């Protein structure tokens, strides 16, 4: 599982780069460069969550290039065009895409703007929150002529959120620390989609007092918070053993995320929320009439 989380670790790094540069975020999906043709036939994506979106919309045959972190079997044979923050301009151009799907960040701003200048239609899709994710699903569905499919995906996620909130309503709230890395300690803070999912699942994010979505969090604050549950979403275990033995954390129940669903802001977000609920309330069975 750990090795599968590497792409998300880079996603978090991308977000940290965004914070570090303090660039004013652009709200919502937006186009850059020329507009895509009416019928988009050739799509390149720069993030696995965006690739997953195209696949979930039933438009996988339009994909002609993906990031080097994509592991979906459907795109195993496609050319790789770099990563979140270091896409290869040359590799994208040679594929002659009708559309490039990008999660915007100061880390990839320069090469993406260069691609737009070279005539590649770009759709920028912020993916920091659940609302961002749902907006991205709708935007990609619209540009690919898959609006019906996109609406179905959005409704499915919203339905799951409603169901999980109802299931969590009568449960004792868990105090949770959601960890992306131990050295340094990087956690889910306010404004991240993980923070929203924790609240959906009836949990209290003990790092809600952090100043950003993916903060490098104070060890002292983590210790004094005394979480009931620590969710390990780190890609590597460096520093974990030492962290687990610390007072205030050694008594917590430690769990690992079972899949990428909880980590990728895309169509599998509803399934990720169900997985999170099961991690927090393992005694509640799916057939108990609560979460399905």
């Amino acid at each position: 599982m750990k090795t599968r989380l590497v792409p998300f670790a880079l996603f978090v790094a991308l977000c940290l780069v965004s914070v570090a540069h303090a660039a004013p975020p652009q709200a919502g999906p937006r186009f850059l460069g020329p507009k895509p043709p009416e019928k988009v036939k050739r799509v390149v994506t720069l993030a696995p969550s965006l690739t997953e979106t195209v696949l979930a919309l039933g438009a996988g045959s339009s994909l002609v290039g993906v990031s080097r972190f994509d592991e979906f079997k459907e795109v195993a044979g496609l050319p790789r065009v770099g990563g979140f923050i270091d896409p290869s301009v040359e590799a994208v151009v040679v594929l002659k895409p009708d559309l490039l799907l990008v999660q915007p960040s100061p880390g990839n701003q320069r090469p993406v703007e260069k691609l737009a200048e070279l005539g590649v239609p770009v759709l920028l899709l912020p993916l920091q929150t659940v609302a961002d994710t749902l907006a991205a699903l709708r935007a990609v569905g619209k540009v690919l002529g898959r609006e019906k499919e996109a609406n179905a995906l959005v409704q499915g996620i919203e339905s799951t959120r409603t169901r999980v909130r109802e299931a969590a309503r009568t449960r004792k709230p868990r105090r949770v620390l959601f960890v992306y890395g131990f050295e340094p300690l990087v956690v889910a803070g306010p404004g991240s989609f993980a923070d929203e999912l924790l609240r959906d699942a009836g949990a209290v994010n003990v790092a809600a007092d952090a100043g950003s979505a993916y903060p490098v969090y104070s060890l002292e604050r983590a210790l004094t918070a005394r979480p009931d549950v620590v969710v390990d979403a780190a890609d590597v275990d460096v520093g974990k053993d030492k962290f687990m033995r610390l007072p205030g954390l050694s008594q917590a129940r430690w769990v690992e995320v079972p899949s990428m669903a909880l980590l990728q802001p895309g169509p599998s977000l509803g399934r990720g929320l169900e997985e999170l609920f099961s991690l927090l309330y393992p005694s509640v069975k799916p057939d108990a009439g609560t979460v399905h």
Side-chain angles (χ1 to χ4, degrees):
M1 181 60 205
K2 290 293 183 183
T3 56
R4 295 182 60 204
L5 300 182
V6 170
F8 188 76
L10 293 176
F11 161 74
V12 172
L14 181 151
C15 294
L16 292 172
V17 168
S18 300
V19 172
H21 285 73
Q26 289 281 351
R30 65 188 177 95
F31 286 100
L32 192 67
K35 289 292 180 67
E38 185 174 344
K39 291 188 177 181
V40 173
K41 297 180 179 178
R42 300 178 63 82
V43 179
V44 172
T45 60
L46 295 188
S49 57
L50 298 175
T51 303
E52 184 185 21
T53 295
V54 176
L55 293 171
L57 290 171
S61 61
S62 67
L63 288 166
V64 295
V66 296
S67 82
R68 65 173 175 272
F69 302 114
D70 280 271
E71 296 181 344
F72 303 104
K73 65 180 187 303
E74 294 91 338
V75 300
L78 292 183
R80 307 287 149 159
V81 298
F84 295 113
I85 58 176
D86 60 346
S88 167
V89 172
E90 295 76 12
V92 173
V93 169
V94 78
L95 294 173
K96 300 179 179 179
D98 297 327
L99 182 66
L100 176 65
L101 299 180
V102 178
Q103 181 182 352
S105 163
N108 60 26
Q109 182 176 351
R110 183 171 298 178
V112 169
E113 288 181 348
K114 180 64 176 178
L115 284 161
E117 291 171 4
L118 293 172
V120 175
V122 177
L123 179 54
L124 299 172
L125 299 155
L127 294 172
Q128 186 153 302
T129 67
V130 174
D132 288 341
T133 303
L134 302 184
L137 288 170
R138 289 193 176 99
V140 177
K142 183 176 182 179
V143 75
L144 296 181
R146 303 272 178 166
E147 291 175 278
K148 181 179 177 180
E149 291 85 349
N151 287 334
L153 291 173
V154 169
Q155 289 171 10
I157 292 172
E158 290 180 333
S159 175
T160 299
R161 294 186 77 191
T162 299
R163 194 167 63 245
V164 171
R165 286 169 180 160
E166 181 61 24
R169 192 170 58 83
T170 57
R171 307 287 163 188
K172 180 182 178 181
R174 300 288 192 262
R175 293 173 52 78
V176 179
L177 183 67
F178 198 107
V179 179
Y180 293 117
F182 296 100
E183 284 189 358
L185 178 61
V186 178
V187 302
S192 64
F193 66 86
D195 176 70
E196 294 177 83
L197 297 184
L198 284 171
R199 281 183 275 129
D200 284 342
V204 175
N205 183 2
V206 299
D209 60 345
S212 62
Y214 301 97
V216 175
Y217 200 58
S218 161
L219 180 60
E220 183 179 18
R221 291 163 79 179
L223 298 180
T224 56
R226 294 188 173 275
D228 302 316
V229 182
V230 177
V231 178
D232 175 6
D235 61 318
V236 294
D237 287 335
V238 175
K240 179 178 177 179
D241 287 346
K242 182 174 64 178
F243 194 71
M244 291 180 73
R245 292 194 295 269
L246 294 173
L249 297 171
S250 60
Q251 299 88 351
R253 183 163 57 86
W254 285 67
V255 295
E256 292 188 6
V257 294
S259 77
M260 289 295 293
L262 189 54
L263 302 178
Q264 292 195 154
S268 61
L269 212 54
R271 179 162 57 87
L273 175 56
E274 291 176 325
E275 291 179 355
L276 177 62
F277 186 87
S278 294
L279 290 174
L280 300 183
Y281 305 98
S283 62
V284 180
K285 302 299 182 185
D287 59 358
T290 53
V291 184
H292 301 280

